Amino acid sequence: MLLSNTTDSLTGGGVPLSVNFDSPEDYFIFIFQILFATSTVLVAGTVVIGILVTEELRLQNRFIFMLNTSICDTLVGFSVFYLGLFDVQEGYPPRNGTYNVLPSLLGVNILTFLFAQFDRYFAVCHPFIYSRFITRHFVICLNIYCWFYNFAHLLARNLLPVSKSMQLYVFSIVFFQLIVLTKVVMTIKLYFVARFQLERDPPSADRESKKESLRIIIFVVISFLVLWCPSFVNIIIRFTSGRGLTFRNDATNLFAIMARLNALCTPSVYIWGSPALRDATVRTVWGRVCARCKRRYAKITIMLDVSIYTYILLEFVLFFIN
């Protein structure tokens, strides 16, 4: 899958397909890209719909960040139908590219994750300042800024001369290093906050909400770092020594595929980590598409409730026996 000649056109004109179908590996790559794109659109799109139609979720700041990243992930899923199925090479030199419009969608998530980490940090460590200054409108403006900054950066790269555009690209790589370092530090900080400070708070709905949001953001950032680091390291090696791996196109670029997998992992973690969001997606999307899914989810919920109540009853009996 390393760099080779451009794929022969199999589409009868226009942009050729990403593979030649000369080997079983080509069929696997093509089918994987279709399944990956479809799964990402379905999962991320479900999160978007679930948050938009549920008012109690829209009123919480943490779900606004989830909504922003899920919208971006949905667009990334749609972009895979082009980047993964056709012979496309973004970057320098581009081939059948989109002027880096589609790959730049991942940059929106990077900034959103960073702001979401700061949001959770202030919500847990400085609740008075958070409740006073971090309003819903402020959070919405931060999410809009992520798109505006990404659009401005993309516009500058496409309008500037190639030499200046390359310099701006190198600057963005350095800036990305600082963001990654900040993410690592904030993740470690949030972990200790979740482990020590929240345990001292009295039991309440707000405490459980903070623990849930911290757990989600920590898992999201860890998955982001794991999936992005190989691509990030390869880019650094290519710019510093020129020895990094190059691939035939974006469909066969293993590092780019791993980076785009973040668009599927992130909404999946949202659904897994938030019972309120999971209930909203089942009620508003999957429960309407498939009634069996709704009944099955209801049975599982009842079983969990019965288990919890049974556990509480046993604890109550054991307390009096001892």
Side-chain angles (χ1 to χ4, degrees):
M1 293 192 300
L2 294 180
L3 187 64
S4 64
N5 294 329
T6 304
T7 311
D8 295 333
S9 177
L10 298 177
T11 60
V15 181
L17 295 178
S18 58
V19 293
N20 292 320
F21 298 103
D22 293 332
S23 64
E25 180 187 39
D26 291 344
Y27 287 92
F28 172 79
I29 293 173
F30 199 78
I31 295 174
F32 169 80
Q33 296 291 350
I34 295 176
L35 294 177
F36 169 49
T38 305
S39 301
T40 303
V41 171
L42 291 177
V43 176
T46 299
V47 174
V48 172
I49 297 174
I51 296 176
L52 285 178
V53 301
T54 308
E55 184 178 4
E56 63 181 60
L57 298 184
R58 296 198 310 269
L59 296 177
Q60 301 182 45
N61 291 342
R62 62 193 181 102
F63 284 104
I64 296 177
F65 287 109
M66 293 184 188
L67 176 62
N68 194 45
T69 58
S70 297
I71 291 174
C72 184
D73 291 336
T74 305
L75 296 177
V76 170
F78 281 115
S79 73
V80 175
F81 284 111
Y82 180 69
L83 297 176
L85 301 183
F86 297 95
D87 184 40
V88 180
Q89 179 69 56
E90 298 281 4
Y92 301 96
R95 185 176 68 253
N96 302 321
T98 62
Y99 298 97
N100 292 301
V101 173
L102 298 182
S104 66
L105 291 172
L106 298 172
V108 178
N109 276 352
I110 295 174
L111 288 179
T112 306
F113 291 153
L114 182 64
F115 287 136
Q117 283 185 286
F118 282 110
D119 175 82
R120 291 300 88 196
Y121 174 78
F122 281 105
V124 175
C125 297
H126 305 284
F128 177 75
I129 298 177
Y130 183 84
S131 60
R132 185 175 181 181
F133 296 102
I134 310 300
T135 63
R136 182 168 175 267
H137 292 89
F138 179 76
V139 173
I140 293 176
C141 290
L142 283 179
N143 285 274
I144 294 175
Y145 169 78
C146 294
W147 290 90
F148 177 79
Y149 174 84
N150 191 72
F151 175 77
H153 179 81
L154 182 64
L155 186 64
R157 285 181 58 183
N158 288 323
L159 293 181
L160 290 175
V162 177
S163 59
K164 297 295 183 181
S165 180
M166 286 290 293
Q167 293 178 2
L168 183 60
Y169 179 70
V170 173
F171 170 78
S172 65
I173 296 298
V174 175
F175 182 64
F176 181 69
Q177 290 181 354
L178 298 177
I179 292 180
V180 170
L181 179 61
T182 305
K183 283 179 175 292
V184 173
V185 174
M186 288 297 298
T187 302
I188 296 174
K189 178 68 175 179
L190 288 173
Y191 171 78
F192 285 105
V193 167
R195 185 176 179 181
F196 296 105
Q197 181 166 335
L198 289 179
E199 295 298 331
R200 299 198 301 266
D201 294 341
S204 63
D206 182 64
R207 173 175 175 267
E208 294 302 319
S209 175
K210 290 179 180 178
K211 289 181 65 175
E212 175 188 305
S213 59
L214 282 173
R215 181 172 62 249
I216 291 175
I217 195 64
I218 288 174
F219 273 98
V220 166
V221 172
I222 290 176
S223 64
F224 167 81
L225 293 175
V226 170
L227 294 173
W228 264 91
C229 277
S231 177
F232 183 62
V233 172
N234 185 59
I235 291 174
I236 294 177
I237 294 176
R238 289 180 59 185
F239 270 92
T240 56
S241 63
R243 297 181 179 180
L245 296 177
T246 55
F247 298 85
R248 185 171 57 196
N249 49 42
D250 285 354
T252 58
N253 188 337
L254 178 61
F255 299 139
I257 293 173
M258 291 181 64
R260 286 194 290 267
L261 274 175
N262 187 73
L264 178 60
C265 292
T266 299
S268 300
V269 171
Y270 290 161
I271 296 175
W272 164 79
S274 176
L277 177 60
R278 187 164 59 249
D279 179 72
T281 56
V282 172
R283 185 180 65 255
T284 59
V285 181
W286 299 115
R288 298 183 178 182
V289 175
C290 178
R292 184 181 298 178
C293 297
K294 189 173 183 178
R295 290 196 299 268
R296 185 175 299 174
Y297 176 75
K299 291 179 181 179
I300 294 174
T301 304
I302 293 174
M303 293 175 61
L304 290 175
D305 291 340
V306 171
S307 301
I308 293 173
Y309 290 138
T310 304
Y311 174 78
I312 295 174
L313 180 60
L314 288 175
E315 289 288 339
F316 183 76
V317 173
L318 290 175
F319 174 78
F320 279 99
I321 292 177
N322 294 332

